[in-house]
Amino acid sequence: MYKQLSMDDKGNVIYNQYFSNDILAVTPNGIKTKYIVDFGKYNIPDPKKYKDEFELISDINSSNKRYATFISNICDSEKYLSFAFITNPGLLCLCVYDKKLKTTDVYTIDDKKYSIAQIIPTESFAYILLADESGDYYMGKQQYTNKK
């Protein structure tokens, strides 16, 4: 099962499958793993040890441990990799990885009404889009300065 498709800075289609930390690229030579997102102690259990996705979801939901999953809205440029993800219990987060500085910034969306988020970083601004299921949205441009 896939979320939406995106494009990288070389024109390749990139996407992520549910319950996977791999960001895949469709190239003329086939599908390749382009990035592996490491959430550290927040990585979900290995999906291969479960009989199906429902058993994995049940395990995650019944756990007291916090997990990060459901990578979506991937934006891949020469300088940044950014995406949204969810942690249990349903916290929406945005991640920006600076490829040159090798730094990561993570932002939590505190307003629970939003279920869709995307961040597009540039050298000095980050464009942020938040939307809810009814179609209400917030779109803004925020000053963005990497911490390093």
Side-chain angles (χ1 to χ4, degrees):
M1 189 172 232
Y2 312 108
K3 292 226 170 189
Q4 87 295 335
L5 302 175
S6 301
M7 300 287 280
D8 67 12
D9 60 333
K10 295 181 178 41
N12 296 312
V13 171
I14 55 174
Y15 67 98
N16 170 264
Q17 295 178 309
Y18 288 126
F19 305 114
S20 172
N21 290 5
D22 295 351
I23 296 175
L24 305 170
V26 179
T27 70
N29 298 323
I31 298 172
K32 309 238 187 259
T33 300
K34 184 162 185 179
Y35 302 104
I36 300 173
V37 178
D38 185 358
F39 290 115
K41 67 182 183 179
Y42 302 110
N43 282 323
I44 63 171
D46 182 1
K48 294 176 189 149
K49 77 177 202 176
Y50 297 91
K51 69 178 179 184
D52 57 32
E53 290 178 345
F54 299 107
E55 187 179 54
L56 174 59
I57 292 168
S58 177
D59 189 36
I60 289 171
N61 289 337
S62 65
S63 174
N64 290 331
K65 185 176 177 197
R66 179 168 282 176
Y67 293 109
T69 189
F70 293 126
I71 295 169
S72 65
N73 297 327
I74 303 163
C75 182
D76 185 21
S77 68
E78 185 177 328
K79 183 166 168 107
Y80 298 106
L81 171 67
S82 65
F83 54 87
F85 67 94
I86 296 176
T87 66
N88 59 323
L91 293 174
L92 183 59
C93 301
L94 294 168
C95 177
V96 177
Y97 175 68
D98 186 312
K99 296 176 186 179
K100 292 178 181 159
L101 296 177
K102 299 192 182 319
T103 57
T104 304
D105 293 318
V106 176
Y107 306 93
T108 301
I109 307 303
D110 293 327
D111 192 334
K112 298 267 192 220
K113 89 174 202 174
Y114 296 114
S115 58
I116 301 167
Q118 182 157 13
I119 186 167
I120 302 170
T122 67
E123 286 297 322
S124 48
F125 291 96
Y127 297 91
I128 299 169
L129 173 65
L130 303 173
D132 67 18
E133 296 298 324
S134 72
D136 287 338
Y137 68 91
Y138 161 82
M139 188 164 44
K141 177 176 157 183
Q142 302 290 325
Q143 188 74 30
Y144 178 75
T145 310
N146 197 290
K147 292 183 177 102
K148 291 192 177 184

